[in-house]
């Protein structure tokens, strides 16, 4: 991520919301779709948000495999990982849902947690396995969907889900599955975003307000705060929410 791009994103965030919305509407109407096709080419599912509800599990897996083959989508930065580790607290077992290429899962394993990493994409899991092998850490990798986790109730002390809840097809199912398999805490990191039809990601869920995450989880005890990720070097730059839900 270049300094100029960071500066551009930060300056844009300082504009009044109405101006940002107007600029975004113009971009969406006239430029965004063509820009994405030019940037990524035919493999990119530019109309994802129009069609994701109709996709089968197999089509979903294939789309993410294809995405991972073309683009290494690593989002969790060291500072995010440290915040998550602090929020987890005591060592125990963790299920990392939407583990991608394994960065957070590997870091948690290095810090003494017993980690299982799950992702829908076999391509992502191959990268994760290779990264774990290079760093000589042990993580169990599983392929599966957040909406139907292949584990019994209360299998893990903690469930983490970073930059993935915004990708799921069914938010209600996914949040209820994250809670079902957790004994102590569910920790979610998700971007603060408004809906845009065309963007360089396959987001399907949009969290504009802190309450939104709290509402979908419906847990009585939780902390949720907005965090600034503008200076991040990885895939994601912007504002995000860090949600910690306590299982009663
Ligand atoms: C933006 S990446 C985030 C990866 C990683 N957590 C990170 O922060 O770098 C989103 C991940 O979600 C996975 N994914 C998409 N839909 C999913 C679903 N329904 N269940 C589980 N994983 C899913 C994708 O394969 C991808 O690895």
């Amino acid at each position: 991520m270049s300094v100029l791009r960071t500066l551009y994103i930060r300056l844009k965030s300082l504009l009044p919301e109405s101006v940002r919305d107007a600029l975004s509407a113009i971009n969406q109407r006239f430029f965004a779709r063509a820009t994405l096709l030019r940037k990524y080419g035919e493999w990119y599912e530019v109309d994802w948000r129009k069609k994701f509800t109709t996709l089968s599990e197999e089509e979903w897996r294939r789309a993410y495999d294809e995405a991972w083959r073309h683009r290494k989508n690593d989002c969790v930065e060291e500072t995010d990982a440290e915040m998550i580790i602090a929020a987890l607290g005591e060592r125990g077992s963790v299920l990392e849902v939407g583990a991608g290429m394994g960065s957070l899962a590997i870091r948690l394993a290095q810090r003494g947690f017993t980690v299982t990493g799950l992702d829908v994409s076999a391509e992502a899991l191959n990268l994760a396995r290779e990264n774990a092998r290079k760093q000589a850490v042990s993580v169990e990798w599983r392929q599966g969907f957040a909406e139907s986790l292949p584990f019994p109730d209360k299998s893990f002390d903690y469930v983490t889900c970073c930059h993935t809840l915004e990708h799921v097809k069914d938010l209600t199912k996914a949040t209820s599955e994250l809670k079902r398999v957790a004994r102590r805490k569910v920790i979610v990191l998700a971007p603060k975003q408004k809906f845009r039809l065309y963007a360089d990601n396959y987001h399907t869920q949009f969290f504009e307000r802190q309450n939104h995450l709290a509402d979908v989880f419906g847990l009585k005890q939780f902390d949720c705060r907005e965090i600034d990720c503008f200076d991040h070097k990885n895939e994601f730059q912007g504002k995000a929410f860090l949600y910690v839900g306590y299982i009663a």
Side-chain angles (χ1 to χ4, degrees), residues 48 51-64 120 145 147 169:
W48 185 256
K51 69 180 199 189
F52 78 89
T53 54
T54 65
L55 297 178
S56 68
E57 289 197 348
E58 187 45 41
E59 288 168 328
W60 199 275
R61 272 191 289 266
R62 248 189 280 132
Y64 274 98
V120 81
F145 281 82
E147 292 92 332
K169 183 171 175 178

Side-chain angles (χ1 to χ4, degrees), residues 11 32-33 41 59 64-65 87 89 105 109 119 131 133 153 180 223 231-232 234 243:
L11 284 176
R33 191 173 187 281
E59 288 168 328
Y64 274 98
D65 277 344
D119 201 283
N131 288 340
R133 193 192 58 75
D153 295 358
R180 181 183 66 78
D223 299 313
D231 297 332
H232 281 196
N234 284 357
Y243 171 88

Side-chain angles (χ1 to χ4, degrees), residues 4 16 26 43-44 47 50 54 84 96 134 144 150 159 165 189 197 202 208 213 219 221 241 244:
L4 276 180
I26 293 168
W43 69 267
Y44 190 71
D47 294 313
K50 285 186 187 163
T54 65
I84 291 163
E96 194 346 40
K134 280 188 195 147
V159 174
L165 205 54
L189 184 61
L197 190 54
Y202 289 171
E208 279 188 48
L213 274 172
L219 288 166
Q221 254 195 301
F241 294 122
V244 183

Side-chain angles (χ1 to χ4, degrees), residues 95 97 118 144-152 159 174 177-178 180-181:
L95 172 66
V97 177
L118 173 137
F145 281 82
E147 292 92 332
S148 52
L149 294 171
F151 307 104
V159 174
E177 280 293 89
L178 299 185
R180 181 183 66 78
V181 302

